[in-house]
Amino acid sequence: MRERFQELEAEAHAYDLAIETLEAAAKSVRRAVIPRLKSQLQGQLAPITNGRYRDVRIGEDLALQVKTQDRAFKDVDNLSLGTRSLIYLLERVALARIIGGNAEPPPLLLDEALVHADRRRMRAALDELGRLGQDHQIILFSKDDALAERAEKNEDWTIIRLPGPAVITGSAEAANADGSTRDQAEEEVAT
Protein backbone atom coordinates (compact mmCIF):
# COMPACT_ATOMS: atom_id res chain seq x y z
CA MET A 1 0.00 0.00 0.00
CA ARG A 2 2.84 2.38 0.89
CA GLU A 3 4.54 1.69 -2.41
CA ARG A 4 1.32 2.38 -4.33
CA PHE A 5 0.77 5.54 -2.27
CA GLN A 6 4.28 6.77 -3.16
CA GLU A 7 3.63 6.07 -6.86
CA LEU A 8 0.42 8.09 -6.71
CA GLU A 9 2.17 10.94 -4.91
CA ALA A 10 4.89 10.99 -7.57
CA GLU A 11 2.22 11.04 -10.31
CA ALA A 12 0.36 13.87 -8.59
CA HIS A 13 3.61 15.85 -8.31
CA ALA A 14 4.31 15.27 -12.01
CA TYR A 15 0.81 16.49 -12.92
CA ASP A 16 1.18 19.57 -10.72
CA LEU A 17 4.53 20.36 -12.33
CA ALA A 18 3.07 19.90 -15.83
CA ILE A 19 0.13 22.20 -15.01
CA GLU A 20 2.44 24.89 -13.59
CA THR A 21 4.70 24.66 -16.64
CA LEU A 22 1.77 24.92 -19.07
CA GLU A 23 0.26 27.85 -17.16
CA ALA A 24 3.61 29.66 -17.17
CA ALA A 25 4.02 29.04 -20.90
CA ALA A 26 0.48 30.25 -21.62
CA LYS A 27 1.07 33.39 -19.55
CA SER A 28 4.30 34.05 -21.41
CA VAL A 29 2.58 33.64 -24.79
CA ARG A 30 -0.27 35.94 -23.74
CA ARG A 31 2.23 38.58 -22.58
CA ALA A 32 3.88 38.41 -26.00
CA VAL A 33 0.67 38.22 -28.05
CA ILE A 34 -1.62 40.73 -26.32
CA PRO A 35 0.35 43.91 -27.15
CA ARG A 36 0.71 42.85 -30.80
CA LEU A 37 -2.97 41.89 -30.98
CA LYS A 38 -3.97 45.23 -29.46
CA SER A 39 -1.79 47.13 -31.92
CA GLN A 40 -3.25 45.34 -34.93
CA LEU A 41 -6.85 45.63 -33.73
CA GLN A 42 -6.58 49.34 -32.97
CA GLY A 43 -5.40 49.99 -36.51
CA GLN A 44 -8.39 48.17 -37.99
CA LEU A 45 -11.12 48.91 -35.46
CA ALA A 46 -12.07 52.44 -36.49
CA PRO A 47 -12.57 51.71 -40.22
CA ILE A 48 -14.71 48.64 -39.58
CA THR A 49 -16.91 50.40 -36.99
CA ASN A 50 -17.16 53.72 -38.85
CA GLY A 51 -15.04 55.41 -36.19
CA ARG A 52 -17.37 54.46 -33.35
CA TYR A 53 -14.72 52.42 -31.56
CA ARG A 54 -11.03 53.28 -31.74
CA ASP A 55 -9.46 51.70 -28.68
CA VAL A 56 -9.50 48.13 -27.44
CA ARG A 57 -8.55 46.48 -24.17
CA ILE A 58 -7.61 42.80 -24.13
CA GLY A 59 -7.85 40.68 -21.00
CA GLU A 60 -5.56 37.85 -19.96
CA ASP A 61 -8.15 35.45 -21.36
CA LEU A 62 -8.10 37.40 -24.69
CA ALA A 63 -11.58 38.79 -23.97
CA LEU A 64 -12.08 42.07 -25.81
CA GLN A 65 -13.48 45.37 -24.62
CA VAL A 66 -13.83 48.49 -26.76
CA LYS A 67 -13.82 52.09 -25.62
CA THR A 68 -17.17 53.73 -26.24
CA GLN A 69 -17.65 57.36 -27.19
CA ASP A 70 -18.28 58.21 -23.52
CA ARG A 71 -14.79 56.80 -22.76
CA ALA A 72 -16.04 53.73 -20.87
CA PHE A 73 -14.95 50.25 -21.90
CA LYS A 74 -17.66 47.83 -22.99
CA ASP A 75 -17.40 44.06 -23.51
CA VAL A 76 -17.50 43.18 -27.18
CA ASP A 77 -20.05 40.48 -26.30
CA ASN A 78 -22.48 43.28 -25.36
CA LEU A 79 -22.30 44.98 -28.78
CA SER A 80 -24.68 44.37 -31.66
CA LEU A 81 -24.31 41.05 -33.44
CA GLY A 82 -22.99 42.71 -36.60
CA THR A 83 -20.34 44.77 -34.81
CA ARG A 84 -19.36 41.87 -32.57
CA SER A 85 -18.92 39.44 -35.47
CA LEU A 86 -16.75 41.92 -37.40
CA ILE A 87 -14.54 42.63 -34.39
CA TYR A 88 -14.10 38.90 -33.80
CA LEU A 89 -13.26 38.51 -37.49
CA LEU A 90 -10.52 41.13 -37.07
CA GLU A 91 -9.28 39.31 -33.96
CA ARG A 92 -9.05 35.98 -35.79
CA VAL A 93 -7.22 37.58 -38.71
CA ALA A 94 -4.81 39.38 -36.36
CA LEU A 95 -4.10 36.16 -34.42
CA ALA A 96 -3.45 34.31 -37.69
CA ARG A 97 -0.97 37.00 -38.68
CA ILE A 98 0.74 36.92 -35.28
CA ILE A 99 0.95 33.13 -35.20
CA GLY A 100 2.29 33.10 -38.76
CA GLY A 101 5.19 35.30 -37.61
CA ASN A 102 7.72 36.15 -40.27
CA ALA A 103 6.85 33.13 -42.37
CA GLU A 104 4.80 33.44 -45.53
CA PRO A 105 1.40 34.83 -44.50
CA PRO A 106 -1.14 32.04 -44.14
CA PRO A 107 -4.21 31.96 -46.36
CA LEU A 108 -7.41 32.98 -44.64
CA LEU A 109 -10.53 30.90 -45.26
CA LEU A 110 -13.65 32.73 -44.11
CA ASP A 111 -17.10 31.18 -44.26
CA GLU A 112 -20.03 33.63 -44.09
CA ALA A 113 -17.83 36.01 -42.09
CA LEU A 114 -19.93 39.03 -43.06
CA VAL A 115 -23.37 37.47 -42.70
CA HIS A 116 -24.38 39.80 -39.84
CA ALA A 117 -22.91 42.99 -41.30
CA ASP A 118 -25.16 45.79 -42.49
CA ARG A 119 -24.35 47.55 -45.78
CA ARG A 120 -22.04 50.15 -44.26
CA ARG A 121 -20.10 47.63 -42.18
CA MET A 122 -19.95 45.19 -45.07
CA ARG A 123 -18.38 47.86 -47.27
CA ALA A 124 -15.86 48.71 -44.54
CA ALA A 125 -15.13 45.01 -43.96
CA LEU A 126 -14.59 44.40 -47.69
CA ASP A 127 -12.22 47.38 -47.81
CA GLU A 128 -10.29 46.06 -44.80
CA LEU A 129 -10.19 42.52 -46.18
CA GLY A 130 -8.99 44.01 -49.48
CA ARG A 131 -6.09 45.66 -47.65
CA LEU A 132 -5.33 42.40 -45.84
CA GLY A 133 -5.47 40.66 -49.21
CA GLN A 134 -2.28 42.44 -50.18
CA ASP A 135 -0.45 40.17 -47.70
CA HIS A 136 -2.76 37.15 -47.50
CA GLN A 137 -4.72 35.01 -49.86
CA ILE A 138 -8.28 35.45 -48.61
CA ILE A 139 -11.04 33.09 -49.62
CA LEU A 140 -14.43 34.31 -48.50
CA PHE A 141 -17.29 31.86 -48.90
CA SER A 142 -20.77 33.34 -48.97
CA LYS A 143 -24.16 32.61 -50.45
CA ASP A 144 -25.02 36.33 -50.32
CA ASP A 145 -25.35 37.60 -53.89
CA ALA A 146 -25.36 41.20 -52.65
CA LEU A 147 -21.93 40.64 -51.11
CA ALA A 148 -20.60 39.24 -54.38
CA GLU A 149 -22.03 42.19 -56.29
CA ARG A 150 -20.40 44.67 -53.90
CA ALA A 151 -17.08 42.85 -54.13
CA GLU A 152 -17.27 42.79 -57.93
CA LYS A 153 -17.35 46.60 -57.94
CA ASN A 154 -13.97 46.57 -56.23
CA GLU A 155 -11.16 45.52 -58.56
CA ASP A 156 -9.23 43.86 -55.71
CA TRP A 157 -11.60 40.89 -55.55
CA THR A 158 -11.96 37.93 -57.87
CA ILE A 159 -15.44 36.46 -57.69
CA ILE A 160 -15.99 32.79 -58.48
CA ARG A 161 -19.63 31.80 -58.53
CA LEU A 162 -20.22 28.14 -57.90
CA PRO A 163 -23.39 26.45 -59.05
CA GLY A 164 -25.87 25.76 -56.30
CA PRO A 165 -27.49 22.40 -55.67
CA ALA A 166 -29.76 21.17 -58.41
CA VAL A 167 -33.46 21.56 -57.72
CA ILE A 168 -35.19 18.21 -57.86
CA THR A 169 -38.80 18.21 -58.90
CA GLY A 170 -41.26 15.52 -57.89
CA SER A 171 -41.15 13.71 -61.27
CA ALA A 172 -37.37 13.98 -61.59
CA GLU A 173 -36.94 12.69 -58.06
CA ALA A 174 -38.69 9.46 -58.96
CA ALA A 175 -36.47 8.85 -62.02
CA ASN A 176 -33.15 7.06 -61.67
CA ALA A 177 -30.02 7.61 -63.73
CA ASP A 178 -30.91 4.72 -66.06
CA GLY A 179 -34.29 6.28 -66.79
CA SER A 180 -36.27 3.84 -64.68
CA THR A 181 -38.62 5.08 -61.98
CA ARG A 182 -38.13 4.45 -58.29
CA ASP A 183 -41.06 2.00 -58.35
CA GLN A 184 -39.40 0.00 -61.16
CA ALA A 185 -36.08 -0.09 -59.26
CA GLU A 186 -37.84 -1.24 -56.09
CA GLU A 187 -39.56 -4.01 -58.05
CA GLU A 188 -36.19 -5.17 -59.44
CA VAL A 189 -34.69 -5.25 -55.93
CA ALA A 190 -37.68 -7.19 -54.60
CA THR A 191 -37.44 -9.90 -57.25
Side-chain angles (χ1 to χ4, degrees), residues 85-86 89 92 110-117 129 140-142:
S85 64
L86 291 176
L89 170 62
R92 288 193 312 267
L110 308 171
D111 186 21
E112 293 294 353
L114 305 177
V115 71
H116 299 292
L129 288 173
L140 174 62
F141 296 96
S142 180

Side-chain angles (χ1 to χ4, degrees), residues 67-82:
K67 188 185 275 188
T68 62
Q69 293 173 338
D70 64 357
R71 303 214 182 276
F73 278 92
K74 185 176 187 178
D75 288 337
V76 169
D77 287 337
N78 294 330
L79 301 176
S80 72
L81 181 59

Side-chain angles (χ1 to χ4, degrees), residues 26-44 55-60 62-64 91 94-95 98:
K27 191 174 185 177
S28 173
V29 167
R30 283 192 297 267
R31 269 196 310 264
V33 166
I34 287 174
R36 294 175 64 196
L37 180 60
K38 179 179 171 107
S39 172
Q40 286 193 29
L41 285 177
Q42 281 185 193
Q44 299 169 324
D55 195 10
V56 64
R57 187 162 53 189
I58 304 171
E60 284 292 313
L62 298 182
L64 301 177
E91 181 184 36
L95 286 170
I98 291 167

